[in-house]
Amino acid sequence: MSAFRPATADSPLVNLIVGTLAVAIGVLLLVLPLIAVYAEALRRGWDPAWAALTEPDTVAAIRLTLIVALTTVPLNTIGGLAAAWCVAKHDFPGKRLLVTLIELPFSVSPVISGLVFVLIFGLQGWLGQWLQARDIQVIFALPGLVLATVFVTFPFVARTVIPLMQEPGPEEEEAAATLGATGFQTFLRVTLPNVKWALLAGVLLCNARAMGEFGAVSVVSGHIRGETNTVPLHVEILYNEYQFAGAFAVAALLALLGLVTLAAKTVLERLSARDGARLGGAA
């Protein structure tokens, strides 16, 4: 059996070719599409782009998207932390099932998840008649948008936090318990500080996906213009109506959100690495 050879042992020519190829693919698949979006959005100048962003239906879509995100992210932060705590710190029957459920939204198409909510809460669904009798509307209304978005974005916080919660040994928690700390105090003062950067990264990713979700939200929204259309749905409507300047202007706003999320995540990773290095030096 041949000995393992690290990539650093490759010749400079091989490293140059591989690096150039990776950069070229990244530019082709990531950078050029972003440039194309912004170029098309500003092709006619700033005024048409700004007019598209301040148009009443666009403002309503932005407002609705923010409401959905501001509702979804806290729910998934609490739920994700609770799920991560259970998986990382406890052994119980059904733990493997819980891990599977956390990862389920990654393997199920968002469109299918939206259809499931229609099947449950729609007028002809399992709870449809019961909800209608009580004048409660879920599908084609804000609650449906929130439910669909919560389902799709749930894994981000939990899957980001679980590895770091599993990393430290139980010594710190045991020491806190020995000093008389309750479970909640231990979580707040010991566990949570250890995973704070991962938690913030998970929240960022959850927020970005919540604002950019299309498939599940499209199914449960009803596409009511100015009422249940989020920003991604509004982009589709503008594009289908051949309002290309407006569509690309709003799409550029979503792309900017992605870039800001990427930059913030990079900063959090550096802060996390700095904390890790400082703790390692102190040890």
Side-chain angles (χ1 to χ4, degrees), residues 25-193:
I25 293 175
V27 170
L28 180 64
L29 298 181
L30 301 176
V31 178
L32 288 182
L34 283 175
I35 293 175
V37 168
Y38 283 99
E40 187 64 27
L42 299 175
R43 184 164 59 90
R44 298 181 181 178
W46 286 97
D47 289 342
W50 180 250
L53 291 175
T54 55
E55 191 261 339
D57 286 342
T58 303
V59 174
I62 294 173
R63 184 187 304 114
L64 180 61
T65 302
L66 291 174
I67 292 172
V68 171
L70 289 174
T71 308
T72 298
V73 173
L75 290 175
N76 277 345
T77 300
I78 296 172
L81 277 174
W85 174 266
C86 289
V87 170
K89 301 298 182 180
H90 300 280
D91 288 319
F92 54 91
K95 179 177 178 178
R96 191 178 299 275
L97 175 62
L98 176 59
V99 174
T100 302
L101 291 176
I102 291 173
E103 297 177 346
L104 182 64
F106 282 151
S107 57
V108 175
S109 168
V111 174
I112 295 176
S113 65
L115 289 174
V116 170
F117 286 112
V118 172
L119 177 64
I120 297 174
F121 300 107
L123 184 59
Q124 305 302 322
W126 299 343
L127 302 178
Q129 298 299 323
W130 185 88
L131 292 171
Q132 185 184 35
R134 289 155 181 80
D135 196 26
I136 301 174
Q137 187 172 1
V138 176
I139 302 303
F140 307 156
L142 178 61
L145 300 178
V146 172
L147 284 173
T149 308
V150 165
F151 177 84
V152 171
T153 60
F154 181 78
F156 288 97
V157 172
R159 292 304 302 169
T160 305
V161 171
I162 285 174
L164 280 185
M165 274 196 181
Q166 291 174 330
E167 223 173 63
E171 294 82 7
E172 293 182 355
E173 285 87 355
E174 291 175 355
T178 302
L179 294 174
T182 64
F184 185 67
Q185 289 173 329
T186 301
F187 176 78
L188 284 181
R189 298 182 180 181
V190 178
T191 305
L192 197 57

